[in-house]
Each structure stands twice: as structure tokens, then as C-alpha cells.
Amino acid sequence: MVCHMQRISWIDRGQTVSFEKCAEAEPRPNCVGVARLGSLQTSGTVFTLWMQLRGSSWIESREGRFRLHQREWIAFEKESRPMVQAGRDGICIGVALDGDALRLLGTLADSSIYTGHGRMSRPEARLALRLWREAQAGVLNSVHALRPLLLHVASLQRELADGVQRCPGRSRMRKRQVFSRMQRAHMYLEGNSHRVVRIGELAELTNFSSWYLSKTFQSLYEESPQSLSARLRLERAAMLLRDTDMMIGEVASASGFDNCCSFARAFRARFGTSATRYRESGVAFPPESAKSAGGSRKPVASVRT
């Protein structure tokens, strides 16, 4: 697909597009769709939010690799440069927001859009699609045509406001900056659930010291980065046991465990049963009912784990 963007760009049926390879003079769409094995490499100049309407998509970014399922949304900062690959039957719609669009949202309401990963209800997904279509039907690259869609996106993240308030900082702007960086750290752990993540990696990603990062993360999510990493790795292992025919040792390795013994102990502590019995039962233990690896955890930030 050539990079001559009209009112909307659909990357469909195995087509591949890179915003970074587009000429600077070429207009880039605010609304873009990726469907049926199409793929899009975004640039590092726009904040992007993606909403999965059907099927699934794979997204690779600086924060890691994510699989987006039906009626899930995910948002990335400019530096993340996500690459979106739709599944065989997948339909994913996206919004690319430059500085002008983000400033417009600030003038419309005392709200913002943050990095994160969450779910939509069926009515919310339908409304998102309608507003997305109306936005792309407006004036090309007009940020004002995005107004209703931006407000809807902000409403999808309404639970994030509580997290912003708990962040350190004298001004609301500073609190938002800290929260955005913490969200990126949370996303990084989610996107790297196949391995152990070092605190130094998160510190480099957020440009905070390891001490400040750990303290703020614990205060915000009521779970340390290390505990969250362990929990996400075990939930990944449970998914692999449930959805694949990988051997137990292979599941342990694919979830960042050095050996089967340490994996077996951690899995039983988390789910109250052995990995073998978990697979045989075929029952998906919801994270909320399972024994947490990190103690009590408050459901903040609307980040789906």
C-alpha cells in the first residue's frame, strides 16, 4: 500500500505500511485501521491508541510484545513506536495524536490520555467505532474532527484519574508526568512477561532512579515491580498450560524460570495446585481469586494484567 493518505488509511489483506518511510510532505491520517494480516509501523512523533474490534492483533513496541484481543484497547507514548500486526480475521482501529491533538483534549476537559491497556464493554466499542468513522469523515488532519472521539477515549481511561492523584508532585502536570512514566513501567512488565525484568531496565525506561521508581510504583499499584513481574510470568505460564501443548519444562522456560523446581514451587504458591493438575482440570483460575504473589493489590490504573 502506498503512502498517499486520503481521509482514512486501511492497511488490509497482508499490506505493510510504515509511517516513518512516508515523505514528510505526505499527510498522515489521524485515524487508521489495520485488518486481516495487514501491518503498520508507526513513527516516533505521535501518541497512538488502538482498539481491537474483532479477532486479535500482535503489537510490538519499546515496552514489549502484546496480544490485543476483541474489545481491548492499548495506548502508547510517542517513543514507543508500536508495530501493529492484525490477525487473520482481526480488525483493529487506531488513533494517532500529535501535540496539537493532545493539547486540544486539554482545552476540552480537565483530562488527558495515558499509556495503558484495558477493556471496553460492547456498547463502548460500538461507540468508539462510530466516533472513529465520524472523525475520519471530517476534514483531513483536522484535530477538531477528533473532539468527540478524544473525549470518548478519555472516558475509557476514567479510572486512571485516581492513579494520577496518588502520584507525588506539587502540580497536577507533574503528577501526570509521573503517572505516565509509571504506566510505561507497568506496560513494560506486561510486555516482557516471558522473562525476569531488572529494576535498572525500568529505571532507564522512565528516567527515574531505581529507588524512586520502586517506591512510587509500590505506592501507586500496591505491588512492587518484582512481585508484579513474578505474577505476570505465572499468569503467562497458566495461559500456556491452558492453550498450548508445550511440555511443563518448556512452559517454565518460556515464562522466565531457570528450572522446573523453582517454577513448580512458584506455580503452586500462586494457584494452589500443580502445573500438571492445572492443565488436566482445564479450569482458568481468575487472577482475582488466586493467591497473589505480591499480596493485596488495588485495581487501579485500568491496566489489564
Side-chain angles (χ1 to χ4, degrees), residues 3-197:
C3 195
H4 296 296
M5 306 299 183
Q6 300 298 321
R7 302 247 176 207
I8 186 172
S9 176
W10 271 107
I11 297 92
D12 194 8
R13 299 182 186 277
Q15 296 170 325
T16 300
V17 170
S18 173
F19 277 177
E20 293 190 330
K21 294 182 179 179
C22 297
E24 289 297 327
E26 293 282 359
R28 296 174 183 174
N30 289 318
C31 299
V32 60
V34 183
R36 294 174 292 189
L37 300 179
S39 64
L40 169 66
Q41 175 64 66
T42 64
S43 70
T45 61
V46 290
F47 182 103
T48 59
L49 181 135
W50 303 93
M51 295 170 280
Q52 192 73 25
L53 300 181
R54 191 180 74 188
S56 63
S57 296
W58 283 102
I59 301 182
E60 295 187 20
S61 71
R62 187 181 176 188
E63 288 79 16
R65 195 167 193 240
F66 304 85
R67 187 172 186 180
L68 204 61
H69 296 278
Q70 186 175 12
R71 298 204 309 275
E72 289 184 347
W73 61 263
I74 192 167
F76 295 96
E77 295 287 347
K78 297 178 181 178
E79 301 83 5
S80 301
R81 299 179 62 253
M83 192 280 286
V84 183
Q85 172 75 63
R88 183 174 300 276
D89 299 314
I91 297 179
C92 185
I93 58 175
V95 186
L97 305 175
D98 58 15
D100 290 340
L102 293 174
R103 282 189 291 271
L104 173 64
L105 180 61
T107 64
L108 296 175
D110 185 22
S111 59
S112 185
I113 299 178
Y114 302 100
T115 296
H117 185 189
R119 292 192 61 84
M120 300 177 287
S121 65
R122 193 179 300 274
E124 286 173 336
R126 288 175 177 171
L127 179 57
L129 176 59
R130 179 172 66 82
L131 295 176
W132 182 83
R133 285 172 171 169
E134 291 175 357
Q136 59 87 9
V139 179
L140 180 62
N141 284 334
S142 170
V143 295
H144 294 285
L146 292 170
R147 180 182 293 130
L149 179 59
L150 292 182
L151 290 175
H152 179 57
V153 169
S155 74
L156 294 177
Q157 298 187 339
R158 54 189 173 272
E159 294 180 16
L160 301 183
D162 292 338
V164 174
Q165 291 299 322
R166 289 199 302 276
C167 285
R170 294 185 178 181
S171 66
R172 183 165 177 78
M173 179 177 294
R174 176 57 179 171
K175 289 177 178 290
R176 286 176 174 176
Q177 290 173 347
V178 172
F179 183 70
S180 292
R181 296 188 197 182
M182 290 298 107
Q183 286 287 90
R184 289 195 72 189
H186 199 295
M187 289 272 288
Y188 190 88
L189 291 170
E190 185 181 355
N192 288 273
S193 61
H194 62 288
R195 66 182 182 87
V196 176
V197 175

Side-chain angles (χ1 to χ4, degrees), residues 100-302:
D100 290 340
L102 293 174
R103 282 189 291 271
L104 173 64
L105 180 61
T107 64
L108 296 175
D110 185 22
S111 59
S112 185
I113 299 178
Y114 302 100
T115 296
H117 185 189
R119 292 192 61 84
M120 300 177 287
S121 65
R122 193 179 300 274
E124 286 173 336
R126 288 175 177 171
L127 179 57
L129 176 59
R130 179 172 66 82
L131 295 176
W132 182 83
R133 285 172 171 169
E134 291 175 357
Q136 59 87 9
V139 179
L140 180 62
N141 284 334
S142 170
V143 295
H144 294 285
L146 292 170
R147 180 182 293 130
L149 179 59
L150 292 182
L151 290 175
H152 179 57
V153 169
S155 74
L156 294 177
Q157 298 187 339
R158 54 189 173 272
E159 294 180 16
L160 301 183
D162 292 338
V164 174
Q165 291 299 322
R166 289 199 302 276
C167 285
R170 294 185 178 181
S171 66
R172 183 165 177 78
M173 179 177 294
R174 176 57 179 171
K175 289 177 178 290
R176 286 176 174 176
Q177 290 173 347
V178 172
F179 183 70
S180 292
R181 296 188 197 182
M182 290 298 107
Q183 286 287 90
R184 289 195 72 189
H186 199 295
M187 289 272 288
Y188 190 88
L189 291 170
E190 185 181 355
N192 288 273
S193 61
H194 62 288
R195 66 182 182 87
V196 176
V197 175
R198 296 179 294 104
I199 291 294
E201 296 178 61
L202 300 178
E204 182 179 356
L205 179 74
T206 59
N207 200 28
F208 286 140
S209 69
S210 297
W211 176 85
Y212 184 89
L213 168 73
S214 298
K215 178 182 177 181
T216 306
F217 195 99
Q218 174 75 49
S219 176
L220 179 60
Y221 300 109
E222 296 189 353
E223 189 171 22
S224 70
Q226 297 93 330
S227 294
L228 176 59
S229 177
R231 180 168 62 81
L232 291 174
R233 288 162 52 215
L234 288 168
E235 290 177 4
R236 170 184 170 84
M239 180 273 293
L240 293 175
L241 289 170
R242 191 171 60 247
D243 299 339
T244 74
D245 58 357
M246 295 171 63
M247 298 179 64
I248 302 296
E250 294 173 327
V251 170
S253 178
S255 304
F257 288 88
D258 294 332
N259 57 73
C260 290
C261 292
S262 61
F263 170 69
R265 288 193 299 269
F267 193 92
R268 181 178 290 276
R270 174 76 175 98
F271 293 101
T273 186
S274 68
T276 300
R277 289 190 176 182
Y278 180 94
R279 167 171 278 171
E280 291 173 348
S281 70
V283 177
F285 289 78
E288 292 79 11
S289 64
K291 185 177 179 181
S292 172
S296 62
R297 182 173 59 93
K298 196 170 184 177
V300 301
S302 188

